[in-house]
Amino acid sequence: MNSPYTWIPVLLAVILSAVGSELDYDGWLRLRVWHALNKGPMPNFIERGNITVTSVRSGASTVAQAGLKSSELDELRKLAEDDREYRLKASVRGSSGTETTFFTSVPACLVLGSELEDFLTVWLDGAAEPVAVSLSSYGPCSREVPSTQMWTTEVQVRYPEAGPVPDTATYIQKLEREREARERGETKDNRSFLAKYWMYIVPAVIFVLLSSATNPEAGGAGGGGGGAQR
């Protein structure tokens, strides 16, 4: 009769293969991108461009976006001077047809310092569906108008990666060997002497302590009687 432990590696293999099939799925993504150059708490988004990720597995993409006008560069510079954020909105549609909107931002001074070079990262779940979009730019921080009006955008696709698989087979075999050894009585008790016999030692120590506490009283009484004799 097979032990129930033998079914655990089989179940793990089935689960890992199911997860792997989702991660290996290759789909596409379409992104519409807007940005806000105003300072107010309510962003005034204007269209920046469109991005198509032709393969979520390889991250291959095409980017189409217009450059900034002189007036828009001046607005971006004012955001940097006031230590404000450059805000972005991205609407992402995947192979399933579901469309989700995400918001992200980066300090405006970093966008200026990088000469309008930024990185847009799309985060996917195990089913290749978008769960987040993040914008980053690596500066340095600047408050000067850049020498270019054109965006340089790199699109990155990130999704869960399979972690290390535990060696369950070896562990289960170890459990089986220990169980068989216990059944045959071959398991050795490697505990120390105190760990094995503490339940006998403790009562004996308590008895000795109690005896030591009562003996001085008896000795004291006998000494008093002897002192009364002549």
Side-chain angles (χ1 to χ4, degrees):
M1 182 175 180
N2 292 332
S3 170
Y5 290 115
T6 59
W7 291 99
I8 297 178
V10 178
L11 293 174
L12 287 174
V14 172
I15 294 172
L16 291 174
S17 63
V19 173
S21 63
E22 291 183 338
L23 297 179
D24 290 339
Y25 171 74
D26 194 11
W28 52 265
L29 298 170
R30 291 197 180 99
L31 292 81
R32 294 184 62 193
V33 182
W34 295 265
H35 60 186
L37 299 172
N38 65 309
K39 298 180 182 179
M42 296 299 296
N44 179 26
F45 287 109
I46 56 177
E47 190 167 5
R48 169 172 157 172
N50 297 280
I51 299 170
T52 301
V53 178
T54 56
S55 170
V56 297
R57 186 186 302 171
S58 66
S61 61
T62 57
V63 181
Q65 50 190 352
L68 291 174
K69 301 175 183 178
S70 298
S71 59
E72 292 173 332
L73 282 175
D74 190 55
E75 289 182 273
L76 185 59
R77 179 185 59 80
K78 291 178 181 178
L79 287 176
E81 288 178 347
D82 294 341
D83 295 325
R84 298 296 185 89
E85 296 285 311
Y86 169 73
R87 293 169 287 185
L88 197 78
K89 179 174 76 170
S91 179
V92 187
R93 181 185 294 273
S95 304
S96 64
T98 303
E99 187 170 358
T100 311
T101 300
F102 302 97
F103 298 88
T104 181
S105 64
V106 67
C109 68
L110 296 180
V111 178
L112 292 179
S114 65
E115 295 287 314
L116 303 186
E117 180 180 1
D118 56 10
F119 299 85
L120 195 64
T121 304
V122 183
W123 299 88
L124 307 179
D125 61 12
E129 290 296 325
V131 293
V133 172
S134 61
L135 178 69
S136 58
S137 189
Y138 300 111
C141 189
S142 172
R143 292 169 178 82
E144 301 295 330
V145 175
S147 59
T148 179
Q149 294 179 307
M150 298 303 298
W151 292 101
T152 301
T153 301
E154 180 178 333
V155 180
Q156 303 171 332
V157 178
R158 295 287 183 266
Y159 51 87
E161 298 180 359
V165 180
D167 188 3
T168 55
T170 302
Y171 179 71
I172 292 171
Q173 291 175 2
K174 177 184 176 182
L175 293 178
E176 286 289 340
R177 288 194 299 268
E178 291 178 353
R179 181 182 61 79
E180 293 173 358
R182 285 196 300 270
E183 292 177 353
R184 293 194 301 266
E186 297 176 359
T187 304
K188 295 181 179 180
D189 192 346
N190 296 321
R191 293 179 298 170
S192 65
F193 178 82
L194 290 176
K196 292 180 182 179
Y197 303 109
W198 67 268
M199 69 289 294
Y200 305 110
I201 296 174
V202 171
V205 172
I206 293 174
F207 177 77
V208 171
L209 292 175
L210 292 176
S211 300
S212 300
T214 56
N215 286 337
E217 296 179 359
Q229 295 177 356
R230 294 183 181 274

